[in-house]
Amino acid sequence: MANLGVYIELRGEEFKKTNREALGLARSSGMDVHAIIFANDISAYENEFKGISKIIQVKNENLSYQPDIFAATIAKIMKEFQLNDLLGVASAQGKDLFPRIAAITEGSIINDCISVDFENHTVKKPIYAGKLISTFKLGGEFRLMTIRPNVFPIPEKGSDSHPEVIGADIEKTDTKAKIIDVIKSKTKKIDLTEAEIIISGGRGMKAKENFRILEEVAAVLNAGVGASRAAVDSDYATPDMQVGQTGKVVNPKLYIACGISGAIQHFVGMKTSKVIVAINKDPEAPIFKKADYGIVGDLFKAIPLLKEELEKVL
């Protein structure tokens, strides 16, 4: 039976929801699953790994993300444990790390997959700004894939078997790039790539202060707050909030677009949302052609009413 590796990405010490999607997909493959995690203590995550074969735990006094070191370490683990397939999440870190691993292993790689066939080594992913879904076949000894968040279901609890834990050391290597500091947001925000509900504002928000009304709705829905590039360029929102071709690709169950015209560059980043709701005063705005539900009207009147009704329901 072939071996499949799953890279587990932690946010600080938090086990990301998207790891569960990757592990669920891996368990369904019928392969021996090996989870690779960089952590000195994994006791808090033990239940997450039930039903897989092995946990390869990389320990070190400094486990902050360093791309070249992480890539060299994972490449060594892949060769040592014969992990011909490696699965991860198409997050900012995943898209940075996996090409580096592919370069070291001389493996094939496809990012942002929405379907994976392990038996035939094929994957599907959106191309041409999401206009087409293309099928790719991965070749070579090592095959690497990152999956789009919120596409693959998190399965119900399965086997209660506990995997074997194997320790591993950091691979020392010459580093061409080094992360010297990570500046975190002052406010604790929901990661848009993992959010099940997102409410976003565009140029129609008119001012940075007006995003407060979106934050109030987000608080009711436990949603993330996003923005279009136009809103970010106008300094109404911060870059980490940007959704679109040059921002984050999101895939929530519900996406509410407020004052966003619906340019293709924005639509690329949220078109796979399960339900799209648009609020715009321009009845000819392109967003309405792509939305499941639309409200034609002044967003500064519509959003407070929406918040009021949501509070009644929830």
Side-chain angles (χ1 to χ4, degrees), residues 64-66 178-184:
S64 62
Y65 175 64
Q66 295 297 338
K178 184 178 181 181
I179 296 175
I180 58 174
D181 192 18
V182 176
I183 301 174
K184 297 182 179 180

Side-chain angles (χ1 to χ4, degrees), residues 192-210:
L192 293 179
T193 60
E194 295 192 347
E196 295 193 350
I197 302 174
I198 295 173
I199 181 167
S200 287
R203 198 191 301 275
M205 297 303 297
K206 296 183 179 180
K208 182 176 183 179
E209 295 74 23
N210 291 333

Side-chain angles (χ1 to χ4, degrees), residues 74-99:
I74 295 172
K76 181 182 178 182
I77 290 170
M78 288 179 69
K79 293 174 181 177
E80 182 178 345
F81 290 89
Q82 296 181 324
L83 305 179
N84 299 100
D85 294 277
L86 182 68
L87 190 65
V89 177
S91 60
Q93 186 183 122
K95 291 176 183 177
D96 176 63
L97 177 61
F98 271 57

Side-chain angles (χ1 to χ4, degrees), residues 85-210:
D85 294 277
L86 182 68
L87 190 65
V89 177
S91 60
Q93 186 183 122
K95 291 176 183 177
D96 176 63
L97 177 61
F98 271 57
R100 298 173 189 270
I101 302 169
I104 296 170
T105 60
E106 298 183 350
S108 54
I109 178 173
I110 299 291
N111 275 319
D112 201 27
C113 304
I114 60 171
S115 176
V116 179
D117 181 344
F118 292 102
E119 184 177 353
N120 296 305
H121 309 311
T122 59
V123 299
K124 292 182 179 179
K125 67 165 291 181
I127 60 171
Y128 300 128
K131 294 184 177 70
L132 295 175
I133 303 296
S134 186
T135 301
F136 294 85
K137 187 174 182 67
L138 292 97
E141 183 181 2
F142 296 104
R143 298 168 292 272
L144 297 87
M145 301 146 282
T146 62
I147 59 171
R148 178 174 291 195
N150 287 340
V151 170
F152 297 90
I154 299 174
E156 296 295 327
K157 182 180 177 182
S159 170
D160 283 330
S161 64
H162 288 274
E164 177 187 1
V165 180
I166 301 172
D169 296 322
I170 284 279
E171 181 72 2
K172 294 180 180 178
T173 183
D174 293 332
T175 57
K176 297 179 181 177
K178 184 178 181 181
I179 296 175
I180 58 174
D181 192 18
V182 176
I183 301 174
K184 297 182 179 180
S185 173
K186 294 181 181 178
T187 58
K188 186 172 177 60
K189 298 179 181 177
I190 294 175
D191 185 344
L192 293 179
T193 60
E194 295 192 347
E196 295 193 350
I197 302 174
I198 295 173
I199 181 167
S200 287
R203 198 191 301 275
M205 297 303 297
K206 296 183 179 180
K208 182 176 183 179
E209 295 74 23
N210 291 333

Side-chain angles (χ1 to χ4, degrees), residues 27 42-50 162:
R27 289 188 188 99
I42 61 171
S43 58
Y45 321 125
E46 285 181 350
N47 287 335
E48 305 286 356
F49 299 115
K50 288 183 177 180
H162 288 274

